[in-house]
Amino acid sequence: MSVQNSLVWIKDRSLLLSVLFGLLSALALLIVKMQAVLSYSPDISGSEASGIAAIQLLLDGQDIYTDPEKAPFRLTQYTPLYFTIVSFLVKIVGWTGIDVHKIYLASRLVSNLFTLATVSIAGYFIYRVTKQKIAALLTGLVLFHVLSFWFLTTSRPDSLLVLLTTLFIVTIYYAFENNDQKLWFLAIFTGVSAFFVKQSGAILPISVGVFWLIQRDFKMFLKLTAFGILTFGLYLVILPINTVELFFLNIVGGVANSASWGWFYDWTLQYWLLQFAPLMVLNALVSAYTLHYRPTGFHLFLVIASVLFFLFATSTAFKIGAGVGYYQDYLIVAVIQLALAFSYKSDFTALKTGFVKSGMALFMTFAFLHCSLYVFMKYKSGMFRNFEALYIEDRKVATYLLEQKNLKPTDYVYICNSENFQGSFLSLFLFKNNLIPFSDLVYLADQNGTFNYDEFRRIVDEKGIRFVISPKGKAPANILDYDFANTLKYSSTMGSYDIYEANKR
């Protein structure tokens, strides 16, 4: 076969070849992710410990939404549906809040199952609608690789959020296809459920409301709004929110951080715009085409949803603590929209040449390779660190305090900040006693004036912290930079920790 014939053969089968490469890449990616799931790494998904702590509290029968200005000074940033599901499953197998690694394992497995369900449903949906296997496979592969590349669906509520977003889009398609009003109510239920997974899920039911307002069907808008409010109220009753006031105080105050362009660039722009800009450009082109040629039904809804999702994600991604995860819902809508648009024979005929298809296939192949290698390199760097030894050491320190020092559930422990995840497991082993579980949230809330932490200062002055644990050789210090002064005395050293005790003399 000549070189020219070989190139023609490759061009004609470029999309199929990209699918085959994507399947191999996805398999390798899944193996790497499963290794990370089983590892003792304290964070494979971004702020993973905050979710683990919420699950621990539910297992222990404690409230996860408490007054942030009162001890223990903890903030639960996210709504509780994901934590409730994982804690329910953990209870079934008989694990308790002190089984830290097992809770990590449970959360990671559940999240990965949710993510796999997401990409499978999206791909199967495209196949059902278009009957094109390659389009269906590419849809699932693109979503799987990009979601894995962003890390945030590996052990976080985001995994359930993307699943609900996919089910939301599929439900709305069949609501149009079957002209079934009941499915619109199911879509609203799914959207409200998404809010109770993560606050950003609120954009789902909002997009439905905007659609019916644009359609000027105010009766339908009011009916769906009333049903959404009823569903919202039902969730407030059945989910573990403690009180409505404390619930909103946490989920609003917990994310009320200042904005930062530098943070947006580091944690969003360079992981999104600079690498997946073609996806956004195609989304804009397809949306413009839809508004001009087919501004009705499901395709119009996809345009409305993609615009709203993108604007909402961008407006919130500047917040300190935010990340590229806010674009996950937009990613799902955009990929489904593009898969449908380029699968219809009558659409974009000028862009369906062999040359353009080959370009798309090449781009996706490089994207698959890029995502897989990036995830591998990130997790590989953690695999060479002996996190299991850190886990064992932290457990020994916790056992020492609980058994030999007779640490009671009402005693407070403060764990000083350190580098390289030191103390991260200790914080979870002592979740009942930890005075400030997530110091970065408290620091930002104090800096922004969101909450007042005078009670912490009072507890320090009154020597109300029984133990302060500091990295070996470093003087105890707290996140609020309030001087411990003479409230502490050195007690002992265990491994890489110095333990200080309240100076009651």
Side-chain angles (χ1 to χ4, degrees):
M1 183 182 291
S2 65
V3 174
Q4 183 176 358
N5 290 337
S6 299
L7 292 175
V8 170
W9 186 89
I10 293 173
K11 180 191 65 135
D12 292 341
R13 295 164 179 80
S14 57
L15 290 176
L16 175 61
L17 292 173
S18 68
V19 166
L20 295 176
F21 181 83
L23 289 171
L24 292 174
S25 174
L27 178 61
L29 188 53
L30 186 60
I31 292 172
V32 170
K33 291 182 69 173
M34 286 302 104
Q35 288 178 332
V37 164
L38 298 172
S39 75
Y40 279 83
S41 172
D43 192 347
I44 66 170
S45 196
S47 300
E48 186 179 0
S50 62
I52 301 302
I55 296 167
Q56 286 180 295
L57 292 170
L58 288 176
L59 288 172
D60 199 53
Q62 297 190 45
D63 294 323
I64 60 175
Y65 302 104
T66 56
D67 190 339
E69 295 182 345
K70 295 182 180 179
F73 305 96
R74 59 178 178 240
L75 279 165
T76 301
Q77 290 182 289
Y78 299 131
T79 41
L81 189 54
Y82 174 83
F83 307 133
T84 304
I85 291 172
V86 177
S87 63
F88 173 76
L89 295 174
V90 171
K91 283 181 181 179
I92 289 178
V93 297
W95 298 339
T96 65
I98 204 67
D99 296 318
V100 175
H101 181 61
K102 292 178 180 178
I103 297 173
Y104 266 104
L105 184 63
S107 179
R108 292 169 176 181
L109 288 174
V110 169
S111 279
N112 276 277
L113 287 173
F114 283 154
T115 304
L116 290 172
T118 296
V119 302
S120 299
I121 291 170
Y124 183 67
F125 168 69
I126 294 299
Y127 175 72
R128 286 292 301 271
V129 175
T130 67
K131 304 302 180 186
Q132 295 190 27
K133 294 179 181 179
I134 289 181
L137 288 168
L138 285 175
T139 298
L141 289 170
V142 168
L143 289 176
F144 181 67
H145 280 82
V146 178
L147 290 176
S148 299
F149 171 65
W150 288 343
F151 291 105
L152 300 178
T153 56
T154 304
S155 181
R156 284 169 55 101
D158 301 66
S159 59
L160 181 54
L161 178 60
V162 295
L163 175 58
L164 290 175
T165 300
T166 306
L167 293 172
F168 173 78
I169 298 298
V170 172
T171 301
I172 288 176
Y173 170 82
Y174 284 106
F176 280 111
E177 188 73 10
N178 301 326
N179 194 25
D180 189 345
Q181 191 176 102
K182 295 190 295 295
L183 291 177
W184 282 103
F185 289 94
L186 179 58
I188 289 294
F189 174 80
T190 306
V192 174
S193 300
F195 169 82
F196 281 94
V197 173
K198 193 176 179 183
Q199 295 92 307
S200 58
I203 196 63
L204 272 64
I206 289 174
S207 65
V208 173
V210 170
F211 173 81
W212 285 109
L213 285 176
I214 290 175
Q215 297 293 97
R216 305 184 71 81
D217 191 333
F218 302 112
K219 183 179 179 181
M220 186 65 170
F221 170 80
L222 291 174
K223 287 195 295 185
L224 293 175
T225 300
F227 180 75
I229 293 172
L230 181 65
T231 305
F232 192 92
L234 180 63
Y235 269 124
L236 289 178
V237 171
I238 65 176
L239 287 176
I241 67 163
N242 196 0
T243 69
V244 173
E245 180 183 5
L246 291 176
F247 172 64
F248 282 103
L249 194 63
N250 276 259
I251 68 170
V252 175
V255 296
N257 302 329
S258 54
S260 167
W261 163 255
W263 185 280
F264 173 75
Y265 178 82
D266 288 339
W267 295 97
T268 298
L269 194 61
Q270 67 171 329
Y271 289 118
W272 169 242
L273 180 62
L274 301 183
Q275 291 151 335
F276 298 104
L279 181 64
M280 289 187 290
V281 172
L282 287 174
N283 168 245
L285 291 174
V286 171
S287 296
Y289 178 93
T290 300
L291 292 175
H292 188 270
Y293 291 103
R294 195 168 43 207
T296 57
F298 180 66
H299 299 283
L300 174 61
F301 179 80
L302 288 179
V303 173
I304 294 171
S306 64
V307 171
L308 289 176
F309 289 11
F310 182 83
L311 292 177
F312 177 79
T314 303
S315 66
T316 52
F318 281 89
K319 175 175 60 67
I320 293 177
V324 72
Y326 282 107
Y327 289 90
Q328 289 170 147
D329 299 334
Y330 167 76
L331 171 74
I332 291 169
V333 175
V335 169
I336 288 176
Q337 182 201 48
L338 293 176
L340 292 175
F342 284 95
S343 296
Y344 292 136
K345 294 182 179 180
S346 59
D347 292 344
F348 299 99
T349 53
L351 293 178
K352 293 181 179 179
T353 64
F355 178 78
V356 173
K357 286 183 179 179
S358 298
M360 292 174 59
L362 188 61
F363 171 77
M364 284 186 285
T365 299
F366 279 121
F368 296 153
L369 180 62
H370 169 67
C371 292
S372 298
L373 286 177
Y374 184 85
V375 173
F376 172 72
M377 295 304 295
K378 281 291 184 180
Y379 284 155
K380 179 183 177 182
S381 62
M383 290 174 188
F384 284 110
R385 295 183 56 187
N386 193 357
F387 285 121
E388 187 173 359
L390 179 64
Y391 182 90
I392 293 171
E393 181 181 45
D394 284 7
R395 185 173 58 191
K396 286 180 178 178
V397 173
T399 301
Y400 167 76
L401 294 176
L402 290 166
E403 296 181 0
Q404 296 187 40
K405 286 293 188 175
N406 195 28
L407 182 67
K408 300 175 183 178
T410 54
D411 293 333
Y412 292 130
V413 174
Y414 184 85
I415 301 170
C416 301
N417 280 0
S418 57
E419 298 178 351
N420 299 321
F421 295 106
Q422 185 182 11
S424 56
F425 293 124
L426 182 59
S427 176
L428 296 171
F429 280 120
L430 298 176
F431 73 96
K432 296 180 183 181
N433 308 92
N434 200 350
L435 184 59
I436 301 183
F438 307 109
S439 55
D440 55 339
L441 298 180
V442 169
Y443 173 79
L444 289 172
D446 182 64
Q447 291 292 304
N448 295 327
T450 308
F451 299 115
N452 183 297
Y453 292 103
D454 284 345
E455 182 171 337
F456 172 79
R457 299 172 178 90
R458 179 188 62 79
I459 291 173
V460 172
D461 292 338
E462 295 178 357
K463 304 178 182 180
I465 304 176
R466 185 172 175 192
F467 294 104
V468 172
I469 302 171
S470 179
K472 185 177 180 179
K474 291 188 177 181
N478 57 73
I479 195 65
L480 297 179
D481 198 26
Y482 191 69
D483 193 357
F484 281 119
N486 63 346
T487 64
L488 302 173
K489 63 180 180 179
Y490 171 79
S491 175
S492 60
T493 296
M494 285 195 69
S496 57
Y497 298 103
D498 287 336
I499 301 173
Y500 293 81
E501 195 166 355
N503 185 6
K504 295 294 186 180
R505 291 179 298 176

